[in-house]
Amino acid sequence: MYRTHTCGQLNISNLNQEVILSGWVQKVRNKGGMIWVDLRDRYGITQLVFEDGKTNSNIFEIAKTLGREFVIQATATVIEREAKNNKIPTGEIELFVNELQILNTSEVPPFTIEDDTDGGDEIRMKYRYMDLRRNPVKNNLILRHRIGQEVRRYLDDIEFMEIETPYLIKSTPEGARDFVVPSRMHQGEFYALPQSPQTFKQLLMISGYDRYFQIVKCFRDEDLRADRQPEFTQIDCEMAFVEQDDILNTFEGMAKHLFKKVLNYNLPDFIRMPYSEAMEKYGNDKPDLRFDMQINEITELVKGHNFVVFDSVEYIGGICAKNAASYSRKQLDALTKFVQKPQVGAKGLVYVKCNDDGTYKSSVDKFYNQDELAKWAKKFNAEKGDLLLILAGNKNKTLPAISELRLEMARQLNLMDKNKFVPLWVVDFPLLEWDEENNRFHAMHHPFTSPKIEDIPMLDTEPGKVRANAYDMVINGVEIGGGSIRIHNKDMQATMFKHLGFSKEEAEEQFGFLMNAFKYGAPPHGGIALGFDRLVAMFAGTDSIRDVIAFPKNNAGRDVMIDSPSNVATTQLEELGLKIDIQK
Amino acid sequence: MYRTHTCGQLNISNLNQEVILSGWVQKVRNKGGMIWVDLRDRYGITQLVFEDGKTNSNIFEIAKTLGREFVIQATATVIEREAKNNKIPTGEIELFVNELQILNTSEVPPFTIEDDTDGGDEIRMKYRYMDLRRNPVKNNLILRHRIGQEVRRYLDDIEFMEIETPYLIKSTPEGARDFVVPSRMHQGEFYALPQSPQTFKQLLMISGYDRYFQIVKCFRDEDLRADRQPEFTQIDCEMAFVEQDDILNTFEGMAKHLFKKVLNYNLPDFIRMPYSEAMEKYGNDKPDLRFDMQINEITELVKGHNFVVFDSVEYIGGICAKNAASYSRKQLDALTKFVQKPQVGAKGLVYVKCNDDGTYKSSVDKFYNQDELAKWAKKFNAEKGDLLLILAGNKNKTLPAISELRLEMARQLNLMDKNKFVPLWVVDFPLLEWDEENNRFHAMHHPFTSPKIEDIPMLDTEPGKVRANAYDMVINGVEIGGGSIRIHNKDMQATMFKHLGFSKEEAEEQFGFLMNAFKYGAPPHGGIALGFDRLVAMFAGTDSIRDVIAFPKNNAGRDVMIDSPSNVATTQLEELGLKIDIQK
């Protein structure tokens, strides 16, 4: 037997017991006559003690040779510590070692196995198996496991069935790029790895499995932006005989269940906000509602004062930053630089300080007198000490820029409470999105999303204004997932394909089997897909999904630990009927 | 709201309630003045009734138009049935329909949606989404879901963590053929899809996650034998700081938990049988122990009687079929034909009938008198009425042939009770297997399996006799899974690679990162992988894993429903730096 207890288990109630522990040497303190060893496993740390003269001399000699990350087994007696450590559950005891075995040695690790390691990102990824020993990473994976189990318990309890859909499927040119898998048995043909189980889950609804879910890997061969992974995990769900509210209520319930069970946090009821309102008030379809700071439009109020910047633009609006009137010239200049960054894209920034004495100080004092500025302040519900920050330009560019400024101010004013979670549903997304590159509309969500019945007449006249039965779950400004009520009628689906610019042949070629399935009794249905990596990252309080994936790939899609992708044997390519043909 | 209840929910306690149901039209019986409709969903069937004169006439007209698999919604009153059906939970009531809506029509399905369908395998696979509506398939998927949930509950309760390992990994030439995935960002390089997460789970042990599991898809590009799938699902597990018994006890416990929770069956304690004993007694490393019929060797007993067939061979042995002495000439001839089939490979069959009058009738009466046959019977513990069946030849060919005969006799004598489950652990597998094709030993399990310490000296002298710390879980003659205690010492691993004929460079090239990881404190560890598809098939009482997979591929690795694999665009291949180059 390698152990009777784990390294996180023993405490004062085990005094004088003979125990066996196994684990890794976290730290050795050798004071000559005394040696202390911190023994670590997944469950915690327990202190071993060796005393010259008291400990068996052979064992004392072995103890002297122990190095960091050695794997050892100790048979020992639980004794009370003189200097107690109340920071860890085992801190009141230590182990007097009677037998000691080195199960495996270790070379000196290339970085320290500590919460704050000295290892950079690259070396930790190369030796990820050692990085995974560190508490912050371990705790993230425990959280991930916990959340996965609780998702399954919640959905199982309300009669959802987990059904596995295939990984070797068919390539479709729509959307992001597929990873393909050459077939050896059918040379020249390819499978594709799924970007999502979308069509399969719709087929399952047609098959009558009215509550489906799956925690499933998905694949996208994209040029990796920051914090994207070529393989990622989705909580994929679909329901039949439901309306939009049924789905929202079900998954609002799931989110509350997870926060309660995993973080013991009572998530509040979800606000439901139309997309258009989110854009007007927050300039963003995933507003962070932990803080208010809504956008106010002042276009009509400020025009006509010979300030050409305002007079010449479509939209003028901004935010009121509470208690920020004390911002210095330097801070305001930095904010101006911030909004002028290409990612934000504003031309300049207008500010109004609401001074404590009731006066206003503005960058446009020349054009607006105190009375006029007082009107602005009133519009923003600003109080003494507040700071108005105003941008101007085209509406569809300026609102997102104000959103960026809003988030920046929230960071500067510490309004993003890490321990607070404010969820909402953003609903009524536009059905179509104008694709400037290809000069046509494409589906904002995907081509199976149903339009709102009352908006269908606009499909022919103002397609950009048609709203969809589509929704996103947003928490603290992060899009956790989204979904829609699907089209379940083959004529409606054909109409949609037409509006998306598919020819009949293209639609048949790409979605024929789904269209065909619609002929045989498709029920009304809809669903949602949640980003599991993103959800876990939110629970873990980290911004990067890489922190919650055991073996992530780097920004170039490479696993530097196993050195993949890599070359394969020519014979293998011959079997696949393939030749490498790189065109520079 | 589409429904207030499901089609399996209503009974006599709901009498007179106004309800809404949605579902599929299973069957319409139109008797002129009365129409009955069986409405089906995932949960059951409820009868709707329409009566001319009583039912609203518009609704009655709509009811007349209903066809099989139409999707409808009915608002109705629960009434008591005159002719009750006690075969279904809803059989005491029917619904008097007050409102009726056709949610979707259906063309006539290409086969009947019944437990016994008229559809052949091919058409059912092409229209799998309709095949999935049938009870037998649906019940298998429900079972699959249930087993998956219970596996997770059991393992979670004893502190196993589910950790996702990557799907885009690295190709290794060892073992079965990998599916590869060309990289676009690194043209000319490939990922591979995992045949199992073997190396990753070992790395997780090195990382300290001492109890890991995952229900995970695995991939093998093999020529498909019957009932193999290119993608299949594994319950993959690994533990650290354990000995073999710890693993066997843990997963014996899991199997018992599953049988109890899912089938309410008390699985007996697992027998533990060495591989050598399984081969001697059953001719098979996965013996079906629902029945006894052990193999007895009679080589010494029968030699030296001038029967040249016996005198010239290495091994003579057979089985005693209880109460089969009444077998006719014709039946015995058929058995002889059976053992002579190439898959069984025996030359001929010797029988001895133990007659009710105490005499013996044998096919070798010429060479053996009654006294000698009596000795044979005694060796087999045969009683009056029993039939001895004996084969002779090389031991390593004859034992498996007797095993086939044993299974055939069990089928003929109805000894394979579908409702009985007898599990065992087959242990002490050989470490190495002689590979006749390549004229070298290769690892029977895989190259990371540890040899038994006491057998290590034989590695140099008699490598074929070295036993491994390897084990299989076998139930009713089916190998549910297997595993081993791994090597955790880098020197031992290097020795193993040498014996498996890897050069240092090959070992480094293929397993370098794992060998490297062994340098940094690898704990003792071992694990198991269970075939999830196979396990579910056993619970479902089917022989084919295809019956328990929602969207299986056919024997040519093709998904006939979505028509995959298929061609991809030339531009996509160009992006991957590939050219199709089929050599006939």
Side-chain angles (χ1 to χ4, degrees), chain B residues 490-491 493-513 515 519:
Chain B
K490 64 179 188 302
D491 297 331
Q493 188 65 65
T495 305
M496 270 305 294
F497 281 137
K498 199 189 73 191
H499 280 283
L500 293 171
F502 286 83
S503 72
K504 254 193 173 163
E505 291 69 31
E506 285 168 338
E508 176 60 33
E509 160 82 17
Q510 289 175 41
F511 305 108
F513 63 96
M515 298 286 276
K519 293 180 195 159

Side-chain angles (χ1 to χ4, degrees), chain A residues 3 164 189 191 233 557-558, chain B residues 164 189 191 210 233 557-558:
Chain A
R3 58 183 175 190
E164 294 167 63
E189 297 188 343
Y191 301 99
T233 306
R558 184 168 278 287
Chain B
E164 293 168 64
E189 298 189 341
Y191 302 99
D210 55 1
T233 307
R558 185 168 276 288

Side-chain angles (χ1 to χ4, degrees), chain A residues 91-250:
Chain A
E92 294 193 298
I93 56 102
E94 58 189 1
L95 298 190
F96 183 86
V97 180
N98 305 311
E99 284 177 50
L100 182 65
Q101 215 190 327
I102 295 177
L103 300 174
N104 220 336
T105 58
S106 174
E107 294 187 7
V108 175
F111 51 87
T112 55
I113 311 297
E114 302 282 351
D115 292 7
D116 285 314
T117 179
D118 59 358
D121 198 55
E122 209 162 318
I123 193 148
R124 288 191 295 106
M125 284 304 143
K126 184 165 162 57
Y127 297 95
R128 181 64 167 174
Y129 48 87
M130 276 187 279
D131 194 34
L132 286 169
R133 291 180 185 168
R134 296 171 50 241
N135 281 323
V137 190
K138 184 191 73 178
N139 290 338
N140 287 350
L141 292 189
I142 291 174
L143 205 55
R144 187 178 182 111
H145 164 71
R146 199 69 264 132
I147 296 172
Q149 299 300 309
E150 289 301 336
V151 165
R152 290 191 162 95
R153 271 170 207 249
Y154 176 83
L155 293 175
D156 181 40
D157 281 350
I158 53 173
E159 305 222 58
F160 275 77
M161 281 171 66
E162 186 161 25
I163 301 176
E164 294 167 63
T165 52
Y167 278 78
L168 296 173
I169 65 165
K170 187 176 181 163
S171 190
T172 56
E174 180 73 352
R177 217 181 271 104
D178 289 323
F179 281 105
V180 296
V181 181
S183 165
R184 180 180 54 85
M185 294 216 264
H186 308 277
Q187 288 193 354
E189 297 188 343
F190 295 79
Y191 301 99
L193 299 177
Q195 296 185 28
S196 91
Q198 182 64 32
T199 45
F200 287 95
K201 70 176 174 176
Q202 291 196 243
L203 289 174
L204 286 172
M205 294 305 108
I206 294 170
S207 301
Y209 298 81
D210 55 1
R211 295 184 155 210
Y212 145 90
F213 84 101
Q214 197 182 183
I215 301 185
V216 63
K217 273 279 172 77
C218 300
F219 304 86
R220 253 175 233 174
D221 186 10
E222 293 176 310
D223 295 319
L224 300 175
R225 283 180 273 159
D227 214 31
R228 288 273 185 126
Q229 288 281 312
E231 51 176 306
F232 55 97
T233 306
Q234 224 168 256
I235 307 172
D236 192 52
C237 308
E238 196 81 3
M239 303 171 81
F241 300 119
V242 289
E243 285 151 357
Q244 178 167 311
D245 271 355
D246 297 313
I247 296 178
L248 301 193
N249 291 335
T250 301

Side-chain angles (χ1 to χ4, degrees), chain B residues 570-583:
Chain B
T570 318
T571 50
Q572 194 167 1
L573 292 181
E574 280 169 8
E575 284 190 325
L576 297 170
L578 287 178
K579 220 164 110 174
I580 291 174
D581 178 39
I582 298 174
Q583 292 158 351

